[in-house]
Amino acid sequence: MIILVDMDDVLADFDGEMYRLWKEKHPGKYIVPPSERKNFYLREEMPEEYGSLIKEIYSAPGFVENLPEIPGGVEAIKEIRSLGHTVFICTSPLILFRNNVLEKFLWVEKHLGDDWTQRLILSRDKTIIKGDILIDDKPEITGAETPVWEHILFDRSYNKHVTEKKRLTGWKSRKEVLGF
Ligand SMILES: [Mg+2]
């Protein structure tokens, strides 16, 4: 099988790190903690005037490179690959791509090793990428095509309303949900 795996909030803890840095830099300004988010896009549930401060954090040099791992993700995709499946990391680069694109590769090199940097697909449209399954936290994934992959949700507070898709409740549930 060809398994596509999203990066942010599936392998790398983007939201968690952003929240941590936000509290450190702007202790008086409240934003919704990751565990209580109702919206995939943080900007839709925070005051508009925080927008540029948030962007400053996630577009800063070093932010993506230093993201912590989502527990179990790195081990899981290595293991899935060792079972004979083809695994790609399929990730949408940020519109503010300058540090983001390079640092995605650096993150993968650091956490998974050099050969995994050749398994990285950067696409703002994941529907045009072929595969059997896509593991992704985004509730609805749309684009130019009707996807051929099955979307398996990676559980987050903002995708709880989607009930018709299979759901990974963390990487621990992998074997139970995927069957491998
Ligand atoms: Mg994601």
Side-chain angles (χ1 to χ4, degrees):
M1 284 222 269
I2 297 177
I3 320 286
L4 309 170
V5 184
D6 176 36
M7 188 166 174
D8 292 326
D9 300 309
V10 172
L11 294 174
D13 190 8
F14 189 102
D15 282 357
E17 183 66 357
M18 196 173 66
Y19 186 66
R20 190 186 71 76
L21 289 169
W22 177 267
K23 284 195 300 182
E24 196 179 286
K25 288 175 199 290
H26 310 288
K29 296 187 171 79
Y30 175 84
I31 58 167
V32 187
S35 61
E36 290 169 30
R37 292 254 305 275
K38 292 278 175 285
N39 214 295
F40 179 76
Y41 296 106
L42 177 60
R43 62 171 181 266
E44 308 210 341
E45 50 190 323
M46 66 171 195
E48 221 181 299
E49 67 262 30
Y50 292 178
S52 57
L53 298 174
I54 288 274
K55 282 181 191 161
E56 222 168 77
I57 292 174
Y58 70 58
S59 65
F63 176 77
V64 170
E65 187 184 356
N66 294 309
L67 290 178
E69 291 180 11
I70 294 283
V74 161
E75 296 75 19
I77 65 169
K78 280 184 180 167
E79 226 176 278
I80 293 171
R81 198 171 160 214
S82 74
L83 295 171
H85 297 293
T86 304
V87 182
F88 289 102
I89 297 165
C90 186
T91 178
S92 295
L94 293 179
I95 295 167
L96 295 170
F97 59 82
R98 246 163 254 282
N99 300 311
N100 188 258
V101 169
L102 169 65
E103 292 188 21
K104 279 179 182 291
F105 282 86
L106 293 173
W107 193 93
V108 167
E109 183 187 46
K110 183 155 116 189
H111 293 265
L112 284 144
D114 197 32
D115 68 320
W116 280 84
T117 61
Q118 297 160 53
R119 319 205 65 78
L120 194 47
I121 300 170
L122 271 64
S123 176
R124 293 282 296 179
D125 187 340
K126 297 185 184 181
T127 67
I128 61 167
I129 312 296
K130 283 186 184 171
D132 294 289
I133 63 174
L134 167 67
I135 299 168
D136 203 303
D137 61 301
K138 192 174 184 180
E140 305 294 342
I141 300 170
T142 54
E145 288 274 11
T146 302
V148 295
W149 34 255
E150 177 189 2
H151 179 196
I152 296 188
L153 271 172
F154 196 83
D155 190 49
R156 302 289 291 185
S157 58
Y158 45 74
N159 62 31
K160 300 274 189 214
H161 63 284
V162 182
T163 52
E164 74 279 11
K165 293 173 186 171
K166 284 188 198 163
R167 174 180 298 270
L168 274 179
T169 51
W171 283 105
K172 280 197 299 285
S173 70
R174 182 192 109 209
K175 286 179 185 154
E176 188 187 316
V177 177
L178 303 177
F180 51 79

